[in-house]
Amino acid sequence: MPMKELDFIDIIKNRTNSDFLGDDCAYLKDIGIVITQDNFVEDVHFKREWATPYQIGYKACAVNISDILASGGKPEYITVGLSIPNGIDEYFISELYQGIQAGSYGAKIAGGDITSGDKIFISITAIGSTEGRKISSRAHAKEGYIVITKGKYGLSSKGLKELIDEQKESENIKIHLEPKLYPEFSERISTKIQSDYAMMDTSDGLADALFKIAEASNCTIEAKHVDGMFGAEDYNLVAAVPEEFLKELKDYYVIGKVIKYNGYRLSTDGKNFSNYDELNLYDHFG
């Protein structure tokens, strides 16, 4: 049976015995930063015939900044590793970096590396500050917490399908190629909250994030069914916070609550999910 992404992650955790693996950002408390890294690979994560150089750069950076925001950190710096094939011209590089800057949400480019390769490969490391902020962990959801989210679901998946069906332009396609992030929502939570809390982005699907929070926190999440929640590529935020904290927030949707572990991790639309594979979500190695 082919290995899945979570299988690889489990092997890496067991082999390295690192205390920093588990969340999408590593929280390096001793030096006051959160750090994350994502790869963006041509013909895996994007196709040049589908996206402009600006859009490629924007999304390559935004997917990293999304993880910083999910941690509650403030985006500060990025480094860019870039591998490019022959034939890439000055215009492409200029537009690519304009997109990277737009997708950095204020973080500064602090270095990187450039090499040649058969395809475009972009690897961005993002660093966030934790000063004045309480950092989240997916293991910090507690019984009685309320689950809230920001943003719409399913539009990015529709945009991807439209691209596959050779449609060139639509609002869904724009959302897929240039996902909107929510730094204000992240900042409001992390600078105002006193209690431990859980927060993730929903890049692998809202159902994915809810299940992983419940599993890491050893609890069950009961959630309303949300259209598009089993899709992916929605770079929204979902958080589990104390109910009394909601008065500090605005412009959010309550989608569920955290209860004591009840033999399954996620309950929605009358279905209970006890095993991650039951969600039938996108597998990076499928």
Side-chain angles (χ1 to χ4, degrees), residues 45-271:
H45 300 104
F46 69 91
K47 290 181 179 292
R48 272 189 266 174
E49 60 264 36
W50 289 356
T52 66
Y54 174 93
Q55 290 170 328
I56 293 169
Y58 175 91
K59 192 168 183 179
C61 192
V63 300
N64 287 274
I65 299 302
S66 181
D67 285 337
I68 298 292
L69 299 179
S71 78
K74 178 185 178 184
E76 293 284 10
Y77 302 101
I78 61 169
T79 61
V80 183
L82 177 62
S83 181
I84 53 174
N86 292 331
I88 296 295
D89 59 17
E90 292 180 8
Y91 170 80
F92 188 99
I93 296 298
S94 177
E95 289 294 301
L96 180 76
Y97 271 80
Q98 184 178 347
I100 288 173
Q101 287 182 302
S104 73
Y105 283 75
K108 299 178 177 63
I109 298 176
D113 185 35
I114 186 167
T115 64
S116 63
D118 294 332
K119 294 184 177 182
I120 298 172
F121 179 95
I122 308 170
S123 183
I124 292 181
T125 298
I127 299 169
S129 168
T130 67
E131 183 178 1
R133 296 177 179 232
K134 192 169 183 67
I135 299 304
S136 74
S137 170
R138 63 179 68 173
H140 284 168
K142 294 179 171 60
E143 183 180 354
Y145 275 21
I146 303 300
V147 181
I148 60 175
T149 191
K150 182 83 172 177
K152 294 183 178 180
Y153 289 91
L155 303 182
S156 180
S157 295
K158 291 177 181 177
L160 176 58
K161 185 179 185 304
E162 289 169 3
L163 285 169
I164 293 171
D165 291 341
E166 300 185 349
Q167 188 170 335
K168 299 298 183 183
E169 190 174 331
S170 74
E171 186 60 29
N172 292 333
I173 289 174
K174 182 176 176 62
I175 288 169
H176 177 73
L177 297 176
E178 299 177 48
K180 179 184 177 182
L181 306 186
Y182 296 95
E184 298 86 0
F185 184 73
S186 169
E187 180 182 7
R188 185 72 179 179
I189 292 177
S190 65
T191 59
K192 298 294 183 181
I193 200 165
Q194 300 298 316
S195 305
D196 287 339
Y197 68 103
M199 186 158 65
M200 286 183 64
D201 80 358
T202 59
S203 55
D204 288 328
L206 176 58
D208 163 271
L210 295 175
F211 189 98
K212 287 177 177 175
I213 289 172
E215 186 173 50
S217 300
N218 193 28
C219 64
T220 293
I221 291 178
E222 293 184 337
K224 301 175 185 176
H225 179 78
V226 177
D227 287 343
M229 69 185 296
F230 290 89
E233 295 285 316
D234 295 304
Y235 289 85
N236 302 327
L237 295 175
V238 61
V241 299
E243 186 171 9
E244 60 270 19
F245 180 69
L246 296 180
K247 64 180 181 294
E248 299 286 349
L249 302 176
K250 58 182 179 180
D251 298 331
Y252 62 88
Y253 304 97
V254 173
I255 60 167
K257 62 182 179 180
V258 179
I259 64 172
K260 185 178 179 180
Y261 179 59
N262 198 23
Y264 49 86
R265 295 302 180 191
L266 175 63
S267 177
T268 185
D269 198 29
K271 299 178 182 177

Side-chain angles (χ1 to χ4, degrees), residues 10-46:
D10 286 340
I11 291 171
I12 294 167
K13 285 181 180 178
N14 293 332
R15 181 64 183 86
T16 61
N17 197 32
S18 172
D19 294 331
F20 300 102
L21 303 180
D23 289 295
D24 290 323
C25 268
Y27 177 21
L28 307 184
K29 191 173 183 179
D30 54 331
I31 55 176
I33 67 169
V34 287
I35 186 168
T36 188
Q37 181 178 8
D38 272 306
N39 298 326
F40 207 57
V41 184
E42 184 176 4
D43 294 331
V44 176
H45 300 104
F46 69 91

